[in-house]
């Protein structure tokens, strides 16, 4: 139902309207449904994020956590909801003799991974960034911890946020309602 202004002065000038006696009708629910518990599929229910701006380095060929700042937990409202995972790794440093491996885990299991290209004929330092995006189905209503990790291909030093890159690296999680 539309809102209606009552009384003799129903012009477009709304200053001085008494909402308790001069307006009737109802406003629709803000989420497009009938109340806070009715969410249409595809709606973003919550956002959580973490950011790390300091330089991190490793020579490990096994994955190490980027930072506790980018270990982020989310608690889905329903088992049918999905989590859109967006990991941004900034200023990746490696040399022409190695690759840097990247991944994101959920509850300790790898869900998405990537690595830099290795060009043995090229020498010198390489700097670039990488974004890993994945739609995860945690199938739980318990808290799930997501982590950004990185590793070296051959025990040569690799870094994320070389020279404490502006903006840093970040992990953003978005819970999506009932997405099939």
């Amino acid at each position: 139902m539309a809102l209606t202004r009552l009384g003799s002065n129903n012009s477009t000038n709304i200053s001085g309207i008494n909402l308790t006696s001069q307006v009737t009708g109802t406003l629709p629910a803000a989420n497009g449904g009938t109340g806070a518990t009715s969410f249409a599929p595809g709606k973003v229910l919550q956002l959580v994020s973490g950011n790390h701006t300091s330089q991190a380095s490793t020579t490990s060929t096994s994955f190490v956590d980027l930072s506790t700042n980018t270990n982020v937990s989310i608690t889905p409202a329903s088992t049918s909801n999905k989590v859109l995972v967006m990991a941004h790794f900034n200023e990746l440093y490696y040399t022409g003799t190695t690759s840097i491996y990247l991944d994101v885990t959920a509850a300790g299991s790898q869900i998405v991974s990537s690595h830099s290209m290795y060009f043995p004929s090229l020498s010198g330092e390489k700097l670039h960034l990488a974004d890993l995006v994945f739609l995860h189905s945690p199938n739980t209503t318990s808290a799930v911890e997501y982590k950004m990790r990185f590793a070296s291909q051959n025990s040569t030093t690799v870094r994320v946020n070389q020279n404490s890159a502006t903006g840093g690296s970040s992990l953003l999680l978005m819970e999506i309602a009932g997405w099939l």
Side-chain angles (χ1 to χ4, degrees):
M1 173 180 191
L3 294 178
T4 305
R5 181 171 178 193
L6 305 175
S8 58
N9 183 6
N10 58 6
S11 69
T12 57
N13 181 358
I14 62 169
S15 64
I17 294 176
N18 182 333
L19 295 177
T20 60
S21 64
Q22 293 179 314
V23 176
T24 64
T26 58
L27 292 173
N31 70 353
T34 58
T37 59
S38 69
F39 297 105
K43 298 269 186 189
V44 175
L45 302 180
Q46 63 174 313
L47 296 169
V48 291
S49 65
N51 185 269
H52 180 73
T53 56
S54 300
Q55 178 175 286
S57 65
T58 191
T59 57
S60 176
T61 56
S62 298
F63 282 101
V64 297
D65 292 359
L66 174 59
S67 164
T68 56
N69 293 339
T70 56
N71 295 350
V72 180
S73 292
I74 192 167
T75 304
S78 168
T79 58
S80 64
N81 294 349
K82 309 293 185 209
V83 176
L84 183 60
V85 178
M86 293 179 280
H88 173 72
F89 292 85
N90 199 10
E91 294 293 328
L92 304 175
Y93 164 90
Y94 59 101
T95 66
T97 61
T98 193
S99 290
I100 185 171
Y101 294 105
L102 310 170
D103 83 353
V104 176
T105 63
S109 297
Q110 186 180 71
I111 58 170
V112 62
S113 66
S114 181
H115 72 279
S116 64
M117 298 304 293
Y118 169 60
F119 299 104
S121 62
L122 298 176
S123 61
E125 299 175 357
K126 310 293 183 281
L127 287 173
H128 68 279
L129 55 89
D131 292 305
L132 302 180
V133 179
F134 185 77
L135 184 62
H136 185 232
S137 302
N139 195 29
T140 185
T141 55
S142 298
V144 179
E145 184 178 41
Y146 293 80
K147 295 181 179 185
M148 296 173 68
R149 304 184 314 166
F150 68 117
S152 175
Q153 175 197 23
N154 60 7
S155 299
T156 303
T157 299
V158 294
R159 295 186 188 109
V160 177
N161 295 334
Q162 171 75 357
N163 299 321
S164 299
T166 302
S169 297
S170 59
L171 182 62
L172 174 66
L173 307 175
M174 289 194 296
E175 181 185 3
I176 311 294
W179 197 354
L180 299 175

